């Protein structure tokens, strides 16, 4: 079967590209490994899909070229996606920090994409795993459902995270096959694990969460952290995990709104114990652990000013070297991927192979937590859709 455009992957990026190409009257077939489209959309945002972020800018992305995403993000904005959401009268709300979620279910977004595909005559073939790609005059794809040919080929295979949802390394393999540079991949937006010695102390805090400022090599996020049975999670940890590299120290300010050294020193004459005093500032279970394993617990007046300063320093700058991450099984995204130098930022077409495009998460553009990854998928899919 021959089409103008073949798209591998019926996720956010592939479907958006298909809709836009369909609008231009191109014949489009989307090939999808899974038995349903948009499996990641369905589970995203805790089932409510954080489909965009109204504050999206290139600063919300990691990439070896931080300017690359600007063009696509400018040509398809969060407001453009909201217009589509409004067209289908999907109720949504801002949760926090510009993050837009469906009121009801992520299925609303999948239905929206399905209806748009139908309107513009996009064909979708499910349970069609692409195994090989060859290029002569046309691209020729071998799949579990036969052979397909096209003038344009769009790789929208996503990243490596959550293998049970159909992730494959096909996009990266195709890049290697066509001599297209691929930057090393690693799990991002992923919980961190603690070293055995730390885990022994902190695992009993599993479930405790608190507002913090987490910093790694000059990058900071002010959000909650969550203690888990394996280590640390919560939005601030997920965000920093995309930047963290093994064996390096993460700094966690457990009291980001207070200079706790000064506060402790101002109360140095008090009878109250350190543990009781800190309970006004930190979760009681955390205070308990800190006063058992890190500080002596005695009345504040029993400490020297210098000792109180040391305690404050610890709380405002807890230094921890994680053991690792929970890996692709738990990661929301894959950091790294197709090197942006290989692609046109306007069309997403590869510079080396005319007609070959890469969009979405498979590209070395990774968003922060908060709807940015979908906005990149919509934006890069839209950009390619105008040219395929
Ligand atoms: C648990 C979780 C929650 C998330 N929540 C959010 C959120 O709320 N907001 C946000 O912005 N981002 C969120 N993300 C990230 C977001 O889902 C992804 O960045 C986005 O889905 C990427 O879109 P994509 O189209 O590039 O890839 P994908 O959505 O991964 O789609 C790729 C598709 O390609 C198919 N495929 C792969 N290989 C083949 C092959 N060989 N043959 C045929 N088909 C193939 C896959 O089956 C898949 O359907 C979340 C991710 C996870 C894992």
């Amino acid at each position: 079967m021959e089409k103008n455009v073949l798209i591998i992957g019926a996720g956010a990026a592939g479907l958006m590209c298909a809709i836009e190409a369909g609008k231009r009257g191109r014949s489009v077939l989307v090939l999808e490994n899974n038995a349903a489209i948009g499996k990641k959309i369905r589970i995203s945002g805790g089932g409510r899909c954080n489909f965009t972020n109204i504050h999206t800018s290139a600063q919300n992305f990691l990439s070896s070229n931080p300017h690359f995403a600007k063009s696509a993000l400018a040509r398809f904005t969060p407001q453009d996606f909201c217009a589509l959401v409004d067209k289908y009268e999907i109720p949504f709300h801002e949760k926090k920090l510009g993050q837009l979620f469906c009121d009801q279910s992520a299925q609303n977004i999948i239905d929206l994409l399905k209806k748009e595909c139908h309107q513009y005559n996009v064909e979708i073939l499910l349970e069609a795993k692409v195994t090989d790609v060859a290029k002569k005059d046309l691209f020729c794809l071998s799949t579990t459902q036969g052979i397909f040919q096209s003038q344009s080929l769009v790789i929208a295979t996503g990243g490596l995270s959550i293998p049970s949802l159909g992730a494959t390394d096909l996009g990266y393999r195709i890049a290697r096959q066509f001599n297209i540079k691929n930057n090393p991949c690693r799990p991002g937006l992923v919980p961190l694990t603690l070293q055995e010695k730390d885990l022994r102390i902190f695992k009993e805090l599993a479930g405790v969460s608190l507002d913090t400022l987490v910093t790694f090599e000059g990058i900071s996020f002010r959000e909650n952290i969550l203690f888990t049975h394996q280590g640390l999670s919560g939005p601030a940890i997920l965000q920093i995990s995309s930047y963290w590299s093994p064996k390096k120290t993460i700094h966690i300010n457990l009291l980001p709104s207070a200079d706790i050294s000064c506060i402790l020193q101002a109360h140095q004459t008090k009878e109250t114990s350190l543990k009781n005093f800190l309970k006004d500032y930190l979760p009681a279970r955390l205070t308990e652990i800190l006063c058992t394993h890190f500080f002596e617990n005695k009345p504040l007046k029993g400490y020297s000013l210098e000792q109180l300063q040391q305690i404050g320093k610890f709380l405002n700058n807890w230094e921890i070297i994680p053991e690792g991450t929970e890996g692709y099984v738990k990661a929301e995204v894959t950091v790294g991927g197709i090197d942006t130098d290989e692609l046109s930022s306007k069309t997403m077409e590869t510079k080396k192979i005319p007609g070959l495009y890469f969009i979405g998460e498979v590209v070395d553009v990774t968003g922060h937590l908060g709807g940015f990854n979908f906005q990149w998928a919509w934006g890069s899919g839209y950009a390619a859709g105008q040219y395929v």
Side-chain angles (χ1 to χ4, degrees), residues 8-15 31-34 36-41 43-46 48-52 101 128-131 156-159 161-162 165-171 173 189 330-333 359-362 368 370-375 377:
I8 311 179
L15 293 171
L31 298 159
E32 171 54 51
N33 186 13
N34 287 324
I37 66 166
K39 278 215 165 173
K40 249 181 215 169
I41 301 174
I43 60 153
S44 67
R48 295 236 167 119
C49 187
N50 177 194
F51 55 80
T52 191
F101 283 76
K129 181 172 184 171
V130 179
T131 50
T157 43
S161 57
I162 323 270
L165 292 183
T168 74
D169 67 351
L170 180 75
R173 275 196 280 130
L189 300 181
K330 287 284 174 69
E332 284 200 13
V333 286
I359 57 172
E361 201 181 309
V362 73
H368 290 169
F372 303 105
N373 283 297
F374 278 134
Q375 190 55 39

Side-chain angles (χ1 to χ4, degrees), residues 185-211:
C185 292
R186 62 177 193 277
L189 300 181
V190 63
L192 297 174
T193 55
L194 288 181
Q195 295 179 32
E196 188 53 42
K197 68 178 171 57
D198 295 320
L199 196 58
R200 245 182 277 129
I201 297 172
F202 289 107
K203 74 174 169 203
E204 65 182 86
L205 291 180
V208 170
S209 143
L210 70 156
D211 175 36

Side-chain angles (χ1 to χ4, degrees), residues 62-366:
L62 291 82
S63 173
S64 59
N65 176 0
H67 302 292
F68 178 82
K70 284 181 182 168
S71 170
L73 293 173
R75 278 174 295 136
F76 190 83
T77 64
Q79 288 70 29
D80 291 323
F81 194 77
C82 287
L84 210 46
V85 171
D86 285 339
K87 174 176 165 189
Y88 289 93
E89 298 179 346
I90 297 171
F92 67 94
H93 61 279
E94 179 182 345
K95 195 168 171 192
K96 59 172 183 174
L97 306 168
Q99 303 167 2
L100 303 189
F101 283 76
C102 295
D103 286 356
Q104 291 159 355
S105 158
Q107 186 62 40
N108 291 158
I109 301 295
I110 298 173
D111 292 344
L112 172 166
L113 295 165
K114 224 183 243 174
K115 284 177 192 156
E116 288 282 296
C117 282
H118 183 71
Q119 183 175 347
Y120 297 110
N121 302 315
V122 169
E123 288 176 57
I124 300 173
L125 191 59
L126 300 173
E127 296 180 302
K129 181 172 184 171
V130 179
T131 50
D132 277 301
V133 172
K135 165 109 170 87
K136 291 184 187 132
D137 289 342
L138 299 175
F139 289 97
C140 181
L141 272 57
S142 307
T143 80
T144 46
Q145 299 219 32
I147 308 261
F148 300 88
Q149 292 192 313
S150 63
Q151 295 147 6
S152 294
L153 173 62
V154 182
I155 314 300
T157 43
L160 297 168
S161 57
I162 323 270
S164 58
L165 292 183
T168 74
D169 67 351
L170 180 75
Y172 311 111
R173 275 196 280 130
I174 294 172
R176 275 197 294 279
Q177 177 184 344
F178 290 102
N179 201 22
I180 288 164
K181 192 176 165 215
N182 188 18
N183 292 326
C185 292
R186 62 177 193 277
L189 300 181
V190 63
L192 297 174
T193 55
L194 288 181
Q195 295 179 32
E196 188 53 42
K197 68 178 171 57
D198 295 320
L199 196 58
R200 245 182 277 129
I201 297 172
F202 289 107
K203 74 174 169 203
E204 65 182 86
L205 291 180
V208 170
S209 143
L210 70 156
D211 175 36
T212 59
L213 181 77
V214 178
T215 304
F216 178 71
E217 295 187 345
I219 309 280
S220 295
F221 293 94
R222 169 87 190 252
E223 284 195 69
N224 275 20
I225 64 165
L226 170 73
F227 288 90
T228 70
H229 291 290
Q230 283 78 36
L232 294 169
S233 187
I237 292 295
L238 297 181
Q239 298 279 33
I240 218 70
S241 73
S242 298
Y243 291 89
W244 179 70
S245 29
K247 299 197 169 67
K248 299 258 179 89
T249 305
I250 285 174
H251 302 262
I252 303 181
N253 184 342
L254 296 166
L255 281 159
S257 299
D259 181 340
I260 195 71
S261 292
C262 283
I263 297 173
L264 284 166
Q265 286 177 336
H267 292 80
Q268 196 221 7
T269 53
K270 293 265 164 70
E271 292 282 354
T272 177
S273 71
L274 178 68
K275 193 163 40 177
N276 280 343
F277 187 81
L278 289 179
K279 276 181 184 160
D280 286 345
Y281 294 89
L282 292 166
R285 281 164 67 194
L286 174 58
T287 309
E288 191 73 44
I289 292 286
L290 293 173
C291 289
T292 307
H293 295 277
F294 297 93
F295 322 129
E296 208 184 332
N297 182 35
K298 54 186 181 183
L300 291 186
K301 67 176 194 182
Y303 293 94
S304 69
L305 285 174
E306 205 196 331
Q307 285 172 324
L308 291 176
Q309 188 180 23
Q310 288 309 319
I311 292 168
K313 251 186 170 173
F314 181 102
L315 296 172
N316 279 140
N317 183 24
W318 176 35
E319 295 186 341
I320 192 105
I321 303 178
E323 172 71 30
T325 76
E326 289 196 34
Y328 286 117
V329 187
K330 287 284 174 69
E332 284 200 13
V333 286
T334 300
V335 183
I338 308 308
D339 193 305
T340 54
D341 282 351
E342 300 276 2
L343 307 176
S344 153
S345 60
K346 192 170 168 204
T347 65
M348 303 294 141
E349 190 176 19
T350 57
K351 294 172 184 168
K352 286 182 187 141
I353 314 287
L356 179 63
Y357 298 73
F358 285 85
I359 57 172
E361 201 181 309
V362 73
V363 178
D364 179 17
V365 172
T366 308

